[in-house]
């Protein structure tokens, strides 16, 4: 999922720089915009000035269903970029939806429209994937393709609102960022394109697009998911980040976050020029743009918490990391909270439970069970004798009454939730799953990959994934 924002040229923050001379690493830190802009000053510019009233943005998910994946128990992935935008003063948003968008539309309406967040003069509009007269049939093929198909709409804003800069944000990540800092650096550097980047270690480096840049922070090379010799060639000296990352030997690569700022004219040139047949910015367009040296492409280093949750394992690990103390990431900050749909459900109800290092969401019913190092989503039901460890349970969309549960049990069926004396470990349980009594889910054989959709589960990277709406019968062992 990705997000695009636009800012009026007349309302971008004025350049802010440190004064005085320093060592080379300090000058590089300044060029990278690390610790340069005061947060309160930026918020004043966003909410006290004209930026909030004139920002434009477009959220373009590659697959609408993925943007609604629960994270942290009660939030949805789409809430991350949406909240970051709102907290940054960007409050006029277009959401480009792909397939399976009904639930996404409902979430957007409940959270950011209607009785949800008050955007004042802001707006959120949904733009569904549409076959254009001159385009072949099919869904969006990538972020660049989605934006290209709606350039007519964006150009109308450019003409009437004097839009100068476009922000593109990736949506399958967990982080908190004030996007005005990124825009500030982009303006200061007079860049055509600015790529927000983060230091990563070797174990994860091949999962991302890696960059190398010179002492002016101009990107010289962009290599998408390199391996072997190519990966080694992208190693950089990160000593200038020692204050933030500690072990500079471990974090010796700089990865693109999939977060960009484009000058309006540069974006239109790229989308309509010789790159008009390319669909994705990260994997196709940006490596070529950097290589040809036609555009000034700059880097901005982000040293805060950042986790890409685009894979089963990364999603699993990021959720469980939230339960650790001290947590590296907090969903709530009084100045920059994350927002989600108001769900009018009762508080959690606990009866003789043992809980250690866990997130338990509203609306849950837990009876004499044990939970450790786990995230329990909204409206989950766990019965007597259940044990969950290292588990992400996404929750349920609805309650079943006691009468409905008794009727299901008497007819040999399984209610939503987890039945009595069931033991689960190292597992992701998707929404509305029905897991019976005396079930054991532990992957004791250590299988890394397996497909059993007819039985209601997959195994990915050794993690058992119970499918949405799946039924796991009484006594099953996985």
């Amino acid at each position: 999922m990705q997000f695009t924002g636009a800012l009026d040229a007349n309302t971008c923050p004025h350049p802010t720089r440190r004064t005085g001379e320093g060592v080379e690493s300090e000058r590089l830190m300044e060029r990278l915009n690390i610790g340069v802009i005061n947060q309160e000053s930026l918020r004043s510019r966003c909410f006290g000035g004209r930026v909030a009233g004139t920002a434009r943005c477009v959220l373009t998910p590659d697959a609408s269903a993925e943007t609604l994946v629960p994270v942290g128990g009660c939030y949805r992935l789409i809430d991350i970029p949406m909240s970051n935008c709102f907290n940054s003063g960007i409050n006029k948003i277009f959401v480009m939806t792909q397939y399976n968008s009904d639930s996404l539309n409902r979430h957007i309406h409940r959270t950011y429209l209607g009785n949800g967040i008050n955007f004042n003069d802001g707006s959120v509009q949904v733009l569904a994937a549409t076959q254009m007269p001159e385009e072949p049939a099919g869904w969006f093929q990538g972020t660049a393709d989605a934006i290209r198909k709606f350039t007519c709409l964006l150009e109308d804003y450019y003409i009437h609102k004097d839009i100068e800069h476009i922000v593109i944000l990736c949506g399958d990540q967990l982080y908190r960022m004030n996007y005005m800092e990124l825009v500030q650096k982009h303006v200061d550097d007079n860049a055509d394109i600015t790529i927000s980047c983060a230091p990563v270690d070797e174990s994860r480096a091949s999962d991302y697009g890696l960059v190398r840049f010179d002492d002016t922070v101009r990107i010289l090379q962009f290599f998408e998911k390199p391996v072997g010799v190519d990966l080694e060639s992208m190693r950089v000296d990160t000593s200038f980040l020692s204050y933030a990352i500690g072990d500079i030997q471990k974090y010796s690569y700089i990865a693109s976050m999939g977060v960009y700022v484009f000058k309006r004219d540069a974006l239109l040139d790229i989308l309509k020029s010789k790159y008009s047949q390319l669909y994705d910015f990260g994997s196709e367009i940006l490596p070529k743009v950097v290589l040809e040296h036609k555009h000034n492409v700059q880097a901005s280093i982000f040293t805060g918490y950042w986790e890409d949750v685009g894979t089963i394992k990364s999603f699993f690990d990021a959720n469980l990391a939230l339960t650790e103390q001290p947590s590296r990431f907090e969903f709530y900050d009084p100045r920059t909270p994350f927002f989600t749909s108001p769900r009018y459900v009762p508080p959690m109800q606990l009866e003789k439970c043992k809980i250690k290092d866990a997130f338990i969401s509203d609306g849950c019913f837990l009876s004499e069970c044990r939970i450790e190092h786990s995230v329990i989503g909204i409206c989950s039901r766990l019965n007597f004798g259940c044990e969950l460890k290292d588990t992400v349970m996404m929750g349920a969309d609805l309650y079943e009454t006691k009468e409905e549960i008794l009727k299901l049990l008497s007819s040999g069926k399984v209610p939503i939730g987890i039945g009595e004396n069931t033991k689960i470990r190292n597992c992701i349980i998707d929404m509305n799953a029905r897991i019976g009594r005396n079930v054991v889910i532990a992957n004791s054989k250590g299988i890394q990959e397996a497909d059993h959709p007819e039985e209601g589960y997959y195994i990915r990277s050794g993690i058992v994934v119970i499918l949405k709406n799946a039924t796991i019968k009484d006594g099953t062992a996985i």
Side-chain angles (χ1 to χ4, degrees):
M1 178 186 72
Q2 303 232 344
F3 164 100
T4 308
L7 301 175
D8 285 2
N10 296 329
T11 58
C12 286
H14 296 297
T16 301
R17 287 295 188 194
R18 297 178 190 168
T19 57
E21 296 296 324
V23 297
E24 196 66 30
S25 63
E26 290 176 337
R27 288 200 294 268
L28 183 58
M29 287 167 60
E30 181 178 349
R31 291 286 298 164
L32 290 167
N33 204 41
I34 299 173
V36 176
I37 304 174
N38 180 269
Q39 181 80 3
E40 291 302 322
S41 175
L42 277 171
R43 285 183 58 79
S44 176
R45 292 172 187 170
C46 293
F47 294 101
R50 294 181 294 161
V51 175
T54 55
R56 299 292 186 274
C57 55
V58 180
L59 183 66
T60 61
D62 294 328
S64 299
E66 293 180 1
T67 68
L68 276 185
V69 171
V71 60
C74 63
Y75 297 92
R76 298 293 184 264
L77 280 179
I78 194 174
D79 294 328
I80 307 306
M82 293 288 284
S83 298
N84 279 333
C85 278
F86 186 77
N87 291 325
S88 299
I90 299 176
N91 67 347
K92 291 183 174 63
I93 302 171
F94 292 101
V95 181
M96 294 181 179
T97 61
Q98 190 81 304
Y99 46 84
N100 297 331
S101 62
D102 287 348
S103 57
L104 174 61
N105 295 345
R106 287 195 300 271
H107 183 79
I108 290 171
H109 180 79
R110 291 171 180 171
T111 309
Y112 306 101
L113 302 170
N115 294 324
I117 296 170
N118 183 3
F119 270 83
N120 295 323
D121 62 340
S123 62
V124 179
Q125 299 181 44
V126 176
L127 303 175
T130 305
Q131 181 180 349
M132 305 301 180
E134 70 280 4
E135 296 281 353
W139 301 106
F140 297 139
Q141 301 302 306
T143 307
D145 182 55
I147 297 174
R148 184 185 294 117
K149 288 179 177 177
F150 281 95
T151 51
C152 57
L153 184 148
L154 296 177
E155 284 176 322
D156 182 63
Y157 272 91
Y158 300 158
I159 293 170
H160 294 96
K161 303 296 183 180
D162 193 26
I163 299 300
E164 183 64 26
H165 304 285
I166 314 299
V167 183
I168 299 176
L169 308 173
C170 187
D172 56 353
Q173 300 174 353
L174 185 59
Y175 67 110
R176 176 183 277 107
M177 180 190 290
N178 191 319
Y179 300 134
M180 289 305 174
E181 292 190 359
L182 184 60
V183 173
Q184 176 73 60
K185 181 186 185 302
H186 177 76
V187 172
D188 289 353
D189 292 342
N190 192 27
D192 295 312
I193 306 168
T194 297
I195 302 176
S196 185
C197 305
V200 295
D201 59 30
E202 186 170 356
S203 66
R204 300 192 301 164
S206 291
D207 296 332
Y208 305 108
L210 303 182
V211 302
R212 295 176 62 251
F213 44 78
D214 61 19
D215 56 4
T216 69
V217 205
R218 180 164 183 165
I219 294 179
L220 304 176
Q221 189 175 5
F222 187 114
F223 205 129
E224 182 72 6
K225 299 181 179 180
V227 295
V229 176
D230 293 330
L231 175 62
E232 186 63 27
S233 71
M234 297 301 294
R235 189 183 295 272
V236 298
D237 179 7
T238 57
S239 58
F240 65 94
L241 294 174
S242 59
Y243 81 100
I245 63 177
D247 188 352
I248 61 175
Q249 299 299 322
K250 179 180 179 181
Y251 296 95
S252 55
Y253 296 92
I254 302 295
S256 167
M257 295 173 62
V259 175
Y260 321 112
V261 184
F262 283 82
K263 274 187 179 178
R264 174 197 63 192
D265 293 339
L267 178 63
L268 292 177
D269 176 60
I270 287 170
L271 293 178
K272 293 184 175 183
S273 67
K274 60 183 179 181
Y275 304 121
S276 61
Q277 301 304 312
L278 300 182
Y279 298 135
D280 189 72
F281 285 117
S283 62
E284 297 177 312
I285 293 177
L286 287 177
K288 297 180 183 297
V289 169
V290 169
L291 189 62
E292 70 173 7
H293 299 293
K294 177 182 176 182
H295 296 282
N296 178 18
V297 185
Q298 294 280 322
S300 177
I301 301 297
F302 179 72
T303 57
Y305 179 92
W306 171 66
E307 284 293 339
D308 188 309
V309 293
T311 66
I312 292 293
K313 180 169 175 52
S314 62
F315 170 81
F316 181 73
D317 291 342
N319 270 276
L320 294 187
L322 296 171
T323 70
E324 298 170 359
Q325 297 297 327
S327 178
R328 294 177 57 201
F329 182 81
E330 296 287 350
F331 272 99
Y332 185 75
D333 181 290
R335 298 172 301 171
T336 57
F338 285 109
F339 306 99
T340 193
S341 174
R343 305 175 182 90
Y344 304 102
V345 297
M348 71 183 85
Q349 180 175 320
L350 310 179
E351 180 184 359
K352 300 179 182 178
C353 298
K354 294 183 179 180
I355 300 174
K356 179 181 178 182
D357 299 333
F359 270 23
I360 312 294
S361 303
D362 287 345
C364 292
F365 292 87
L366 282 61
S367 177
E368 299 187 51
C369 57
R370 179 189 293 268
I371 299 172
E372 182 178 349
H373 197 225
S374 298
V375 175
I376 309 300
I378 59 170
C379 302
S380 295
R381 186 183 293 273
L382 283 73
N383 287 292
F384 171 85
C386 289
E387 293 183 11
L388 268 66
K389 185 176 181 180
D390 303 328
T391 294
V392 178
M393 184 175 183
M394 296 186 184
D397 293 318
L398 55 97
Y399 285 117
E400 290 175 335
T401 65
K402 291 182 179 179
E403 292 75 14
E404 290 173 330
I405 292 172
L406 290 173
K407 185 176 180 180
L408 288 168
L409 291 173
S410 63
S411 60
K413 296 180 180 179
V414 180
I416 292 176
I418 301 179
E420 296 177 0
N421 299 312
T422 286
K423 318 298 183 193
I424 300 177
R425 185 168 185 171
N426 201 45
C427 182
I428 297 174
I429 305 170
D430 207 340
M431 297 291 291
N432 305 321
R434 301 170 183 268
I435 300 178
R437 294 171 288 192
N438 302 306
V439 172
V440 176
I441 301 176
N443 190 17
S444 58
K445 295 183 179 179
I447 298 170
Q448 290 299 299
E449 305 289 328
D451 294 344
H452 297 280
E454 69 285 350
E455 299 175 43
Y457 73 96
Y458 291 87
I459 299 177
R460 294 289 182 268
S461 302
I463 302 163
V464 178
V465 181
I466 305 299
L467 301 179
K468 183 176 182 179
N469 300 318
T471 297
I472 307 298
K473 296 180 180 180
D474 294 350
T476 300
I478 299 177

